């Protein structure tokens, strides 16, 4: 299951994740003034109650929603410039899903998503997916025009400088992980990490790749270098929710 989770993250998500991310985005997207509103998102007066099957689904749903929020202006510009939006067959209630799935599609370099047999298909997700993929060439061209206009090597450089600096600071922060003591003891975690090649050090200033330290105030919190995020999520400890990334 651990390896399956990694594949899903690199090649797209389950249909349910897109739906959850779209509902989250619907509630947090930036609303424009009516005279500047070119993309309409339907009614968001009622906040949905979301339930997630596991911690992984919750994490990636929120990550996807907030990534779409971060690039909302760019994604809307791509939809309008490519003439993919508006579309009579897609109601305003599905615009959030359209934007969220467009972000994921461009993040995969407009490559097709890997479909897993065991997942429950969601009609709205499959409809938006087919629609976007059929216009992938126009969407990619619109993205390229946006990058040329902003003289940007990648979409990250289109973001305002203040946001880029915030992201750089955030990406450099150490990673905190809670030990789920309902499933495993602290000592067993230490032993498992040692078998995986990790060395325990005293403080974050002693970090050197495969190292970690204890939080100074919480005995069940471990701190890791930020560069190890992907490798940590591939560990059985995280896949089995014995360690929970903060």
């Amino acid at each position: 299951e651990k390896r399956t989770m990694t594949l899903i993250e690199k090649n797209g998500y389950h249909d349910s994740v897109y739906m959850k991310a779209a509902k989250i985005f619907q509630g947090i997207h930036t609303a424009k003034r009516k005279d500047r509103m070119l993309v309409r998102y339907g009614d968001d007066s009622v906040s949905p109650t979301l339930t997630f099957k596991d911690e992984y689904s919750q994490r990636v749903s929120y990550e996807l929603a907030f990534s779409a929020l971060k690039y909302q202006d760019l994604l809307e510009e791509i939809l309008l410039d490519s003439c993919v939006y508006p579309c009579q067959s897609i109601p305003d209630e599905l615009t959030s899903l359209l934007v969220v799935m467009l972000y994921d599609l461009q993040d995969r370099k407009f490559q097709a998503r890997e479909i897993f047999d065991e997942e429950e298909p969601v009609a709205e997700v499959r409809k938006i997916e087919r629609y976007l993929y059929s216009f992938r060439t126009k969407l990619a061209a619109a993205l390229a025009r946006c990058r040329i206009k902003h003289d940007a090597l990648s979409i990250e450089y289109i973001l305002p400088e203040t946001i880029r600096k915030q992201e750089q600071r955030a990406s450099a922060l150490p990673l905190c992980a809670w030990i789920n003591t309902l499933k495993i003891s602290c000592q067993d975690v230490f032993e498992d990490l040692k078998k995986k090649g990790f060395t325990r050090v005293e403080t974050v200033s002693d970090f050197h790749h495969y190292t970690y330290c204890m939080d100074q105030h919480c005995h069940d919190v471990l701190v890791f270098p930020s560069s190890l995020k992907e490798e940590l999520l591939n560990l059985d400890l995280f896949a089995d929710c014995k360690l929970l990334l903060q």
Side-chain angles (χ1 to χ4, degrees):
E1 183 178 355
K2 172 192 64 176
R3 292 180 178 84
T4 302
M5 287 166 56
T6 305
L7 284 172
I8 292 171
E9 191 159 16
K10 289 182 178 179
N11 298 297
Y13 305 94
H14 283 161
D15 289 14
S16 60
V17 169
Y18 292 114
M19 288 301 297
K20 295 289 197 314
K23 289 178 181 179
I24 296 168
F25 179 78
Q26 179 71 22
I28 62 174
H29 75 275
T30 303
K32 309 287 177 64
R33 293 201 323 251
K34 286 189 176 181
D35 59 333
R36 296 181 58 226
M37 189 184 297
L38 299 176
V39 177
R40 302 183 180 278
Y41 288 93
D43 182 24
D44 58 356
S45 58
V46 180
S47 299
T49 302
L50 299 177
T51 56
F52 301 90
K53 65 178 183 178
D54 53 36
E55 187 270 341
Y56 170 79
S57 298
Q58 183 180 33
R59 177 174 61 84
V60 295
S61 296
Y62 275 94
E63 283 182 357
L64 187 54
F66 276 91
S67 293
L69 174 66
K70 185 168 60 175
Y71 293 103
Q72 179 182 333
D73 289 343
L74 172 64
L75 296 169
E76 289 179 356
E77 185 177 349
I78 292 172
L79 287 171
L80 293 166
D81 183 44
S82 62
C83 297
V84 170
Y85 182 92
C87 173
Q88 290 185 345
S89 64
I90 298 178
D92 292 348
E93 288 71 26
L94 291 182
T95 301
S96 287
L97 183 60
L98 184 72
V99 171
V100 164
M101 295 192 73
L102 172 59
Y103 172 80
D104 182 58
L105 181 61
Q106 68 78 33
D107 196 41
R108 299 196 315 270
K109 312 299 182 188
F110 298 95
Q111 298 300 308
R113 175 172 64 124
E114 183 173 347
I115 303 295
F116 296 89
D117 295 335
E118 71 273 11
E119 72 170 295
E120 186 74 22
V122 178
E124 294 90 342
V125 170
R126 300 298 170 93
K127 174 183 178 180
I128 296 296
E129 182 172 42
R130 287 192 298 269
Y131 180 71
L132 286 173
Y133 196 68
S134 68
F135 288 102
R136 63 190 181 281
T137 303
K138 287 187 175 182
L139 291 167
L143 173 59
R145 285 192 292 272
C146 287
R147 286 174 50 194
I148 292 170
K149 183 173 74 172
H150 294 279
D151 193 24
L153 293 173
S154 64
I155 65 171
E156 288 81 8
Y157 291 94
I158 299 177
L159 292 173
E161 186 178 358
T162 53
I163 295 179
R164 290 208 309 272
K165 287 183 177 180
Q166 288 174 2
E167 289 201 328
Q168 289 171 357
R169 286 196 294 268
S171 64
L173 290 175
L175 301 171
C176 293
W178 293 88
I179 298 175
N180 185 355
T181 52
L182 295 175
K183 289 192 170 188
I184 193 170
S185 68
C186 294
Q187 191 59 42
D188 285 342
V189 169
F190 302 152
E191 291 177 4
D192 195 297
L193 288 172
K194 186 176 181 179
K195 291 177 183 177
K196 297 295 191 300
F198 285 82
T199 302
R200 182 172 162 185
V201 296
E202 290 299 319
T203 66
V204 295
S205 59
D206 300 320
F207 278 172
H208 179 67
H209 201 48
Y210 285 100
T211 50
Y212 72 96
C213 67
M214 299 291 296
D215 184 87
Q216 293 182 358
H217 306 288
C218 302
H219 73 281
D220 56 353
V221 174
L222 306 183
V223 185
F224 296 87
S226 59
S227 59
L228 296 180
K229 183 176 181 180
E230 291 301 321
E231 294 174 72
L232 289 173
L233 292 175
N234 285 333
L235 294 177
D236 291 331
L237 287 170
F238 284 89
D240 297 335
C241 295
K242 293 175 180 177
L243 274 182
L244 304 173
L245 197 63
Q246 178 63 36

